[in-house]
Amino acid sequence: MLFDKPMGRRRVLATLLASTMVATYAMAQTTGAPVPFSFEGLKNRMRARAKMPDAPPVPLDNFLENLSYDDYRNIYFRPPRSRWANAVLPFQLQAFHPGWLFQDPVQVFEVVDGLAQPLIFNTDDFEYRNDIAERVPQHAELSGVAGLKVNAPLNTPTKFDELVTFLGASYFRALGSGNSYGLSARGLSIDTWLEGAEEFPRFTAFWVVRPKTQDTSLEIYAAMDSTSVTGAYRFVISPGADTVIEVDAELYFRAPVRQLGLAPLTSMFYFAEHSERRFDDYRPQVHDSDALQIIRGSGDVLLRPLNNPHRVSNSYFSGEDVVQFGLIQRDRDYEAYQDAGAQYHNRPSVMIERIGEWGDGAIRLVEIPADLEIDDNIVMFWVPDDAPQAGETRAYRYKMHWGALPPDGTGALAYIFSTRSGVGGPSGVPVENPNLRKYVIDFEGGALGNMVPEAIVKPVVTASAGRVSGLVLHKIDDAAQRWRLFFDIDGQDADLIELTAHVAGEDRKLSEVWLFQWVRDPANPRTGEALEPVAPADKRPDAND
């Protein structure tokens, strides 16, 4: 099937796909004549295109336009029809069928020895199951596709597994060895979760360089179009336990942009051990990603567990001295999720490694309330300090690392193994202060993990408001080299508190730095306000209302 699970917000965004491509390539699509292709040539064409208004997409043929959701889920690409399947090559190429939400055809070209020729897909490339087969014309050439899928021998040498998919606006997803699909990346975001409408740039055409037998990487080029910007992209995809995608993007602005989002990632966080918003679910945790991670050139590693908040939450983190940043899935234990179908413990982490000069900026994290796990409610990207203006050109390069990306337990810093939270104060007694919240952070490995329980180490906890109390740090597991930090935070009159914590000793940091945002639950009154009597269980209001 074309989708391994419902895509929530991604489905809505998928209607924003392609537009008319540059005349030279439209002609090549019609005539089949090969034309010279280079990245510089694509840049020149997209730079010229930025001087013209964004063109409306070409509509689909009738039989494609009228596909329903049930129709679409009964369409499968035939693996033997994969491009390059009959050649001894390290990659194979498939297409996503147009129709349903994917109404705008995307053009695809193959580049061989610097010459681009259209890759034509038709109805013979797809299997149409059930009654849709009677409505689909045989041998009909498609005017474009919805997106691309790249397969490679990712997990075993003899089987071609999914590696990367490009589908919907500028969305794409990749896998490292042993991963199952989780979070998504985008080529670009514009005015995300600001007042007014968000703009969704889209990839309108792809050029795939035919690989050679000995190649370990695949090159894909893409044209981007949108109301405010055009762009030329180069992706170099290298599969492995850590699948690396090197991205080279040049952007040409038709109009000023309030906020540009570079290297955006979109994920899902429903609930976990540290969540205040809990759901009636047999599983202990449900999320594609559990934390934002930032690595600085100084050696500091910041870890911010994600939230499913009661209201939209925005956080900005200084971009100074940032080497890498991204969304990670740190908990890799199946028992922590108990979901054999979704395989949340195998979802990839993604870290962005900046290349070259990006200028001053910040990392923005947006956390959106979600009542269903199909909702992508986490967005993260880099925001340049200076907003782009009409007529401006900007270039950015970065590497994306997709995979399990486990922490280095043998490094100098102990890593944050887990975060838990619950009602503050002593356990097993009535709650007297609804503002009081307890946090429990486990640190593992590093120099700290090797220290004896009696070592002279200290917890360092800060709070932007409220009052911290009950600090306790002790070693709980010699074999696992694990230390545990407890503390309570009294929110008092604050609606939002920024928390940090790490372990120090020997005049240095011994652990990663834990960051957290305490946000008042609207159901909990401030200090001094009267508590409402607790209703009987069968009449208690839903805590998520």
Side-chain angles (χ1 to χ4, degrees):
M1 196 165 68
L2 293 180
F3 295 107
D4 57 339
K5 72 167 190 174
M7 294 193 299
R9 189 165 176 256
R10 284 191 288 260
R11 286 181 171 173
V12 178
L13 306 181
T15 58
L16 300 167
L17 281 171
S19 69
T20 307
M21 191 46 202
V22 183
T24 303
Y25 288 98
M27 183 180 299
Q29 180 71 23
T30 303
T31 64
V35 296
F37 176 82
S38 68
F39 194 25
E40 288 305 312
L42 178 60
K43 290 177 183 178
N44 291 336
R45 281 182 285 273
M46 300 317 292
R47 184 184 296 111
R49 186 164 176 77
K51 297 177 181 178
M52 301 179 290
D54 188 15
V58 177
L60 290 174
D61 297 333
N62 286 336
F63 89 90
L64 298 171
E65 183 182 14
N66 297 324
L67 293 179
S68 67
Y69 166 72
D70 288 332
D71 292 334
Y72 200 77
R73 64 192 298 269
N74 280 299
I75 301 174
Y76 296 76
F77 193 92
R78 299 179 186 272
R81 302 281 298 188
S82 300
R83 300 311 185 254
W84 314 323
N86 296 324
V88 184
L89 296 177
F91 300 94
Q92 294 179 3
L93 198 65
Q94 298 181 2
F96 288 97
H97 199 283
W100 183 46
L101 295 180
F102 306 98
Q103 291 291 310
D104 305 325
V106 176
Q107 309 304 322
V108 183
F109 304 87
E110 181 185 36
V111 180
V112 180
D113 296 330
L115 294 176
Q117 196 158 11
L119 277 177
I120 305 299
F121 294 88
N122 60 39
T123 54
D124 295 339
D125 291 315
F126 296 88
E127 178 184 355
Y128 302 89
R129 298 181 181 176
N130 301 325
D131 63 341
I132 186 177
E134 302 172 1
R135 296 184 277 120
V136 174
Q138 294 184 356
H139 319 304
E141 184 177 304
L142 301 177
S143 57
V145 296
L148 293 179
K149 179 190 295 181
V150 177
N151 292 346
L154 181 62
N155 298 300
T156 63
T158 57
K159 182 178 181 294
F160 278 75
D161 301 303
E162 290 188 31
L163 174 66
V164 180
T165 61
F166 292 86
L167 180 65
S170 66
Y171 281 82
F172 60 98
R173 298 195 287 177
L175 298 169
S177 301
N179 288 157
S180 54
Y181 278 128
L183 78 170
S184 299
R186 280 191 272 174
L188 200 65
S189 70
I190 294 179
D191 297 343
T192 299
W193 281 93
L194 301 178
E195 290 185 9
E198 181 173 352
E199 184 177 329
F200 294 95
R202 68 241 181 234
F203 292 133
T204 58
F206 294 99
W207 291 261
V208 186
V209 179
R210 182 184 176 96
K212 296 180 172 59
T213 305
Q214 69 275 15
D215 285 351
T216 57
S217 298
L218 181 69
E219 286 184 70
I220 297 180
Y221 298 83
M224 175 179 281
D225 224 330
S226 193
T227 302
S228 301
V229 67
T230 67
Y233 279 71
R234 176 177 182 258
F235 300 92
V236 180
I237 304 164
S238 304
D242 170 5
T243 289
V244 178
I245 302 180
E246 186 169 339
V247 182
D248 190 343
E250 193 157 300
L251 307 172
Y252 316 98
F253 290 89
R254 288 175 162 133
V257 170
R258 285 184 296 162
Q259 187 178 84
L260 186 67
L262 299 174
L265 300 176
T266 301
S267 192
M268 178 274 291
F269 181 89
Y270 194 40
F271 65 89
E273 297 160 329
H274 63 267
S275 306
E276 287 194 51
R277 293 192 73 193
R278 299 191 182 272
F279 299 87
D280 189 11
D281 197 300
Y282 75 93
R283 298 166 296 179
Q285 300 188 81
V286 176
H287 48 73
D288 285 340
S289 307
D290 56 14
L292 163 69
Q293 181 174 262
I294 300 171
I295 301 175
R296 298 196 183 278
S298 64
D300 282 351
V301 179
L302 314 181
L303 195 82
R304 161 65 151 79
L306 299 175
N307 282 314
N308 182 355
H310 296 276
R311 60 179 185 272
V312 176
S313 173
N314 274 284
S315 300
Y316 285 83
F317 304 87
S318 170
E320 184 178 357
D321 195 34
V322 168
V323 176
Q324 293 189 36
F325 63 98
L327 296 177
I328 65 169
Q329 186 80 313
R330 178 156 282 184
D331 197 334
R332 293 292 173 185
D333 185 0
Y334 167 79
E335 297 296 332
Y337 302 92
Q338 293 286 324
D339 195 324
Q343 296 280 305
Y344 286 115
H345 62 293
N346 286 331
R347 301 298 170 102
S349 298
V350 180
M351 291 297 291
I352 309 297
E353 177 186 350
R354 298 191 302 160
I355 300 175
E357 182 55 50
W358 282 26
D360 295 334
I363 298 160
R364 183 182 174 202
L365 174 67
V366 186
E367 296 163 302
I368 305 157
D371 291 320
L372 297 171
E373 68 185 273
I374 63 172
D375 294 331
D376 282 344
N377 62 323
I378 304 296
V379 187
M380 184 228 64
F381 46 84
W382 175 280
V383 179
D385 281 352
D386 53 333
Q389 302 302 310
E392 193 175 346
T393 297
R394 294 194 180 186
Y396 298 97
R397 292 181 61 213
Y398 54 95
K399 287 183 180 179
M400 311 181 74
H401 299 266
W402 298 73
L405 308 185
D408 183 4
T410 63
L413 296 176
Y415 64 89
I416 296 167
F417 177 78
S418 67
T419 299
R420 294 177 173 83
S421 72
V423 175
S427 300
V429 299
V431 176
E432 296 182 355
N433 181 1
N435 284 326
L436 200 62
R437 193 81 184 158
K438 185 181 299 296
Y439 290 97
V440 181
I441 310 163
D442 284 357
F443 299 91
E444 189 170 295
L448 176 66
N450 288 319
M451 291 181 175
V452 297
E454 300 78 22
I456 301 175
V457 295
K458 65 176 182 178
V460 180
V461 178
T462 68
S464 62
R467 185 173 66 88
V468 174
S469 62
L471 275 167
V472 177
L473 173 67
H474 61 102
K475 195 169 191 179
I476 61 171
D477 191 331
D478 260 334
Q481 300 185 328
R482 189 175 302 164
W483 289 70
R484 175 165 289 180
L485 169 61
F486 296 82
F487 69 89
D488 286 347
I489 177 73
D490 185 343
Q492 298 181 336
D493 292 330
D495 287 324
L496 183 149
I497 301 173
E498 298 289 351
L499 299 166
T500 76
H502 69 273
V503 179
E506 302 176 345
D507 297 324
R508 62 190 174 100
K509 286 190 179 78
L510 294 174
S511 73
E512 296 179 334
V513 178
W514 176 87
L515 309 176
F516 203 81
Q517 189 178 77
W518 178 93
V519 180
R520 178 178 301 283
D521 182 344
N524 285 346
R526 291 175 172 80
T527 302
E529 294 178 346
L531 288 172
E532 294 292 331
V534 177
D538 60 341
K539 296 181 179 178
R540 191 171 300 164
D542 184 354
N544 297 319
D545 286 350

